[in-house]
Amino acid sequence: MFVTGGVVSALGKGIVAASLGRLLKARGLRVQAQKFDPYLNVDPGTMSPFQHGEVFVTEDGAETDLDLGHYERFIDENLSRNASHSAGSIWDTVLRKERKGEYLGATVQVIPHITNEIKARIRRGARATPTDVVISEIGGTVGDIESLPFLEAIRQFRNDVGRSNVLYMHVSYVPYIEAAGELKTKPTQHSAQRLREIGITPDVLICRADRPIGEDIRKKISLFADTELDSVIAAEDAPTLYDIPLSLHDEGLDDLILQKLGMPSPPADLTEWRRMVSRMHDAEETVRIAIIGKYIKLQDAYLSIVEALGHAGGAHGLRVELDWVDSETLPDREATRQRLGEVDGVLVLPGFGHRGTEGKIEAARYARENGVPYLGLCLGMQIEVIEFARNVAGLENANSTEFDQETPHPVIDIMADQVGVDKGGTMRLGKYPCSIVPGTLAAEVYDTDLVTERHRHRYEVNNGYRPALTEAGMVFSGTSPDGRLVEIAELRDHPFYIGSQFHPEFKSRPLRPHPLFKGFVGACGNGLKKTADLEPAGTEERATH
């Protein structure tokens, strides 16, 4: 299945693809999803969050588009680098083959060489694991020059595997014009027309709108887009992302897809999903959590964290209100006290670079001194260590060498194997094991002694300072199995104060909230005993957290 988009970007193709994956899995099918991005960067790892949003990291260490996070959360399958492809990586592969002489002197062209490489990657996604349906999202919008090779490749693909094995789904926009007082279909008409000019007639049209789409509008779109009426599916704005699979199911999307593909399956079992969505809607009490970072104007930069907090809130029957705080607005202790005085918890975000770090340190100090639950993620854990070193362990001007090469106490330093490497795709990436120390907060929230988590960092706690920090009261409750790398740092005698060098947000699922987020949000709610009746994860599932 190929998912394309038209009219404008940010229509939610990724959510539609992920929702469809959830529905098909609920009907007993094995589903994989993949994303094709038309930009020439090899991957989004070196792109600004303002340009691209969050970089989502897979188990095998691929730095990918944030839509892969949607796929994993909705479908509840761990994806790999086989699920993420950019135009840059495709061109790089083709040009490397040309330099090696693999094309035997042929003139290398977009067709067939680039399109063949795209098709090969589509097949690779299908072969990665046993799969019934592969959903391939094509980034960008129809009409973009850079998207044309991808659209040509998926047009050709139906000839390679047979028309009955391919389905094209197009997501378009039906805007409401206030002055006219009506929904307008022309943008969708033109988008479908551009797609047909390329040689693809959409089998299913998903029409995004901010209000219900009437039968007359659907008939008009069906006529001009050359798509059957029952294949024009309305996708009205929903209260939460997790309502969307249920809305599309109510519209009959999964029945339609299976009918068109000739794939029989049992009815969808969405019982747990409906229960989870109901808990989110029914939550009455609210916890307010300060989110401390420097890219707060673009919340997509921290999308998985936002979703993980929502998962945890739902598990406790709590609404999570996010108070976004630019760390540069926390210049000193008094300003931080005034700004954070009304929050129930403090979360310090991941990030790179010096800007805003002193404000994050002030936020960590405020949480430590005032008994406010604290969760530090990646850089947030390093900030926790720096603050403790300065203000408790007596290591004046302690810092990370990422921020201050001349610091007298480099309590955070670059990993030995990261010195002098290029920036792209070279960090400590992907899943690594972490041993949990018994009797610690980490052991309590995980309820196991060994976990695997996903990483994306170059700097680590300096082992030379671990004895001094431990003596002052910091607990290194999680390390690599050989004890060489600090993975989790926490404090005793505090309601909840913990940081992880890894990124737990990448493994949180709406039906299985991540233990660190679940523990943190529970502590923010003053330990309210409202844990939802989630289906318990088995030993294997718990270990993969």
Side-chain angles (χ1 to χ4, degrees):
M1 293 188 53
F2 298 106
V3 181
T4 58
V7 184
V8 295
S9 59
L11 272 181
K13 295 192 306 297
I15 295 295
V16 169
S19 297
L20 178 59
R22 177 78 244 174
L23 294 177
L24 295 180
K25 185 171 181 180
R27 303 188 75 138
L29 296 176
R30 299 167 298 178
V31 182
Q32 287 288 306
Q34 57 186 176
K35 176 75 181 289
F36 289 86
D37 278 302
Y39 52 72
L40 289 177
N41 305 71
V42 173
D43 60 47
T46 58
M47 294 170 71
S48 165
F50 289 119
Q51 290 277 322
H52 191 269
E54 173 185 82
V55 174
F56 186 84
V57 178
T58 59
E59 292 279 278
D60 60 349
E63 294 177 292
T64 73
D65 183 80
L66 59 79
D67 277 321
L68 265 73
H70 290 313
Y71 304 159
E72 285 205 2
R73 285 187 287 273
F74 279 65
I75 304 173
D76 200 9
E77 296 285 346
N78 289 333
L79 301 177
S80 70
R81 63 186 65 253
N82 288 321
S84 181
H85 311 279
S86 72
S89 68
I90 290 164
W91 281 86
D92 181 61
T93 297
V94 170
L95 293 176
R96 287 177 184 273
K97 287 181 178 179
E98 185 274 333
R99 290 291 82 189
K100 292 179 181 178
E102 293 186 23
Y103 296 120
L104 304 177
T107 301
V108 177
Q109 298 175 292
V110 172
I111 303 172
H113 300 97
I114 296 296
T115 51
N116 282 348
E117 179 62 24
I118 294 169
K119 291 189 290 183
R121 294 184 180 213
I122 295 169
R123 294 188 188 92
R124 190 188 309 165
R127 294 168 180 163
T129 59
T131 304
D132 297 309
V133 178
V134 176
I135 302 171
S136 300
E137 178 191 348
I138 309 300
T141 57
V142 172
D144 296 342
I145 292 174
E146 57 265 33
S147 295
L148 289 174
F150 295 95
L151 297 175
E152 171 61 19
I154 68 173
R155 183 198 68 77
Q156 295 176 12
F157 200 80
R158 68 185 177 208
N159 298 324
D160 295 350
V161 300
R163 182 66 183 86
S164 62
N165 292 317
V166 172
L167 187 142
Y168 302 106
M169 185 163 67
H170 189 59
V171 183
S172 189
Y173 183 46
V174 182
Y176 180 81
I177 306 301
E178 194 71 40
E182 62 181 353
L183 291 164
K184 291 295 184 180
T185 65
K186 271 289 187 282
T188 294
Q189 292 179 37
H190 288 304
S191 180
Q193 181 179 345
R194 291 298 301 270
L195 199 58
R196 293 203 313 276
E197 288 172 356
I198 295 167
I200 298 171
T201 298
D203 298 294
V204 178
L205 265 173
I206 306 292
C207 297
R208 290 278 287 106
D210 65 354
R211 62 200 64 214
I213 296 176
E215 187 74 4
D216 56 335
I217 297 292
R218 292 177 62 245
K219 286 181 178 179
K220 193 172 183 180
I221 291 172
S222 170
L223 176 64
F224 285 95
D226 194 25
T227 300
E228 296 169 336
L229 179 60
D230 65 356
S231 299
V232 178
I233 303 294
E236 185 183 349
D237 289 354
T240 73
L241 295 180
Y242 303 107
D243 285 275
I244 295 173
L246 302 178
S247 298
L248 294 176
H249 176 69
D250 291 342
E251 287 285 318
L253 178 62
D254 42 329
D255 281 324
L256 176 67
I257 295 297
L258 294 171
Q259 176 188 344
K260 287 181 175 291
L261 290 175
M263 299 178 70
S265 76
D269 182 2
L270 294 165
T271 305
E272 286 300 311
W273 196 268
R274 291 187 188 279
R275 189 178 300 166
M276 175 268 296
V277 172
S278 293
R279 283 195 300 268
M280 290 184 171
H281 291 321
D282 295 343
E284 295 180 354
E285 297 192 61
T286 299
V287 292
R288 186 179 179 196
I289 297 175
I291 308 294
I292 318 292
K294 65 178 182 178
Y295 296 116
I296 62 171
K297 292 182 180 178
L298 182 68
Q299 295 173 14
D300 270 1
Y302 309 108
L303 182 60
S304 290
I305 294 170
V306 172
E307 294 305 313
L309 288 169
H311 304 161
H316 287 288
L318 295 167
R319 291 186 182 274
V320 178
E321 177 186 333
L322 304 184
D323 183 0
W324 294 89
V325 180
D326 185 338
S327 56
E328 292 186 292
T329 65
L330 306 176
D332 54 43
R333 194 173 183 182
E334 179 58 24
T336 303
R337 183 187 67 79
Q338 292 184 6
R339 180 65 181 83
L340 302 183
E342 300 299 321
V343 302
D344 300 305
V346 172
L347 188 152
V348 173
L349 294 162
F352 299 93
H354 178 268
R355 183 166 65 84
T357 55
E358 291 302 318
K360 295 177 183 179
I361 291 170
E362 288 296 336
R365 180 176 186 174
Y366 172 82
R368 177 181 59 80
E369 292 180 341
N370 292 278
V372 177
Y374 175 92
L375 179 61
L377 304 177
C378 196
L379 174 62
M381 188 204 80
Q382 296 173 7
I383 291 294
E384 165 191 340
V385 172
I386 294 168
E387 188 281 323
F388 186 87
R390 289 181 185 181
N391 299 315
V392 180
L395 302 173
E396 188 176 356
N397 294 322
N399 215 328
S400 167
T401 53
E402 181 182 7
F403 314 137
D404 181 5
Q405 289 284 340
E406 306 302 322
T407 176
H409 297 294
V411 293
I412 305 295
D413 202 2
I414 194 166
M415 301 172 70
D417 57 1
Q418 289 291 316
V419 177
V421 300
D422 291 336
K423 288 187 175 181
T426 55
M427 286 182 280
R428 187 172 186 240
L429 290 164
K431 71 172 182 178
Y432 289 90
C434 170
S435 295
I436 306 293
V437 177
T440 61
L441 175 61
E444 180 183 340
V445 296
Y446 275 108
D447 192 27
T448 186
D449 58 3
L450 183 67
V451 297
T452 60
E453 295 283 4
R454 301 184 194 180
H455 296 68
R456 185 175 185 251
H457 65 103
R458 283 195 172 87
Y459 289 79
E460 261 283 357
V461 172
N462 187 335
N463 286 331
Y465 285 91
R466 281 169 65 176
L469 294 168
T470 299
E471 185 177 351
M474 178 157 276
V475 179
F476 297 112
S477 55
T479 67
S480 56
D482 61 6
R484 188 173 63 90
L485 301 176
V486 170
E487 298 280 19
I488 306 175
E490 63 181 65
L491 296 182
R492 292 194 178 97
D493 303 320
H494 191 286
F496 192 97
Y497 196 97
I498 194 167
S500 67
Q501 184 58 76
F502 47 80
H503 289 260
E505 67 271 19
F506 293 146
K507 300 195 75 170
S508 187
R509 305 286 187 264
L511 296 178
R512 292 187 292 111
H514 191 282
L516 280 177
F517 283 93
K518 190 174 176 183
F520 173 59
V521 171
C524 294
N526 295 318
L528 294 174
K529 302 299 184 183
K530 292 186 175 181
T531 303
D533 184 23
L534 295 175
E535 184 174 338
T539 303
E540 180 180 351
E541 291 289 350
R542 278 184 19 207
T544 62
H545 273 303

